[in-house]
């Protein structure tokens, strides 16, 4: 498992109407490689509003259709639910993700 990897998660929460949702792992690699049981992840939605905290992703990124990573909705997911690997973000998309995370967390 690596930072920027995309995974489909079945029944991500009781509030999510979808049977599954794709998440991107955003934790630092040191945490991912550790014995810690969870990683911070950002959900991917089919809606893109153009907010600075969203990263546009599409078929080139391994998805079925145009979508966006929502950095304002970070969640901690147990590593054991991250089994359905979809793909990984490109270096360019990972750089965009870093910028969106900084905005979402108000980091200069």
């Amino acid at each position: 498992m690596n930072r920027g990897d995309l995974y489909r998660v079945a029944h991500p929460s009781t509030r999510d109407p979808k049977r599954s949702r794709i998440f991107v792992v955003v934790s630092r690699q040191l945490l991912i490689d550790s014995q810690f049981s969870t990683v911070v992840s950002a959900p991917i939605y089919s809606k893109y509003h153009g907010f600075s905290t969203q990263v546009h992703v599409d078929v080139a990124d391994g998805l079925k259709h145009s979508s966006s990573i929502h950095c304002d909705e970070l969640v901690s997911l147990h590593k054991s639910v991250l089994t359905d690997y979809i793909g990984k973000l490109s270096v360019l998309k990972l750089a965009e993700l870093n910028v969106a995370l900084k905005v979402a967390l108000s980091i200069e």
Side-chain angles (χ1 to χ4, degrees), residues 52-103:
S52 58
T53 55
Q54 295 177 349
V55 178
H56 182 260
V57 287
D58 57 26
V59 177
D61 302 297
L63 302 172
K64 291 182 180 177
H65 48 78
S66 183
S67 302
S68 67
I69 302 168
H70 288 227
C71 294
D72 278 326
E73 297 187 41
L74 300 177
V75 296
S76 182
L77 294 175
H78 202 278
K79 289 177 182 176
S80 65
V81 303
L82 300 172
T83 58
D84 189 4
Y85 179 78
I86 301 297
K88 67 178 184 176
L89 295 178
S90 67
V91 173
L92 177 62
K93 287 295 176 182
L94 204 48
E96 289 179 38
L97 178 65
N98 289 339
V99 171
L101 286 167
K102 286 180 181 180
V103 172

Side-chain angles (χ1 to χ4, degrees), residues 24-63:
V24 60
V25 177
V26 300
S27 286
R28 64 191 183 281
Q29 196 61 45
L30 184 67
L31 177 73
I32 296 166
D33 294 338
S34 76
Q35 296 298 319
F36 205 68
S37 62
T38 61
V39 291
V40 177
S41 303
I44 297 179
Y45 293 96
S46 58
K47 301 282 185 190
Y48 177 67
H49 304 96
F51 298 145
S52 58
T53 55
Q54 295 177 349
V55 178
H56 182 260
V57 287
D58 57 26
V59 177
D61 302 297
L63 302 172

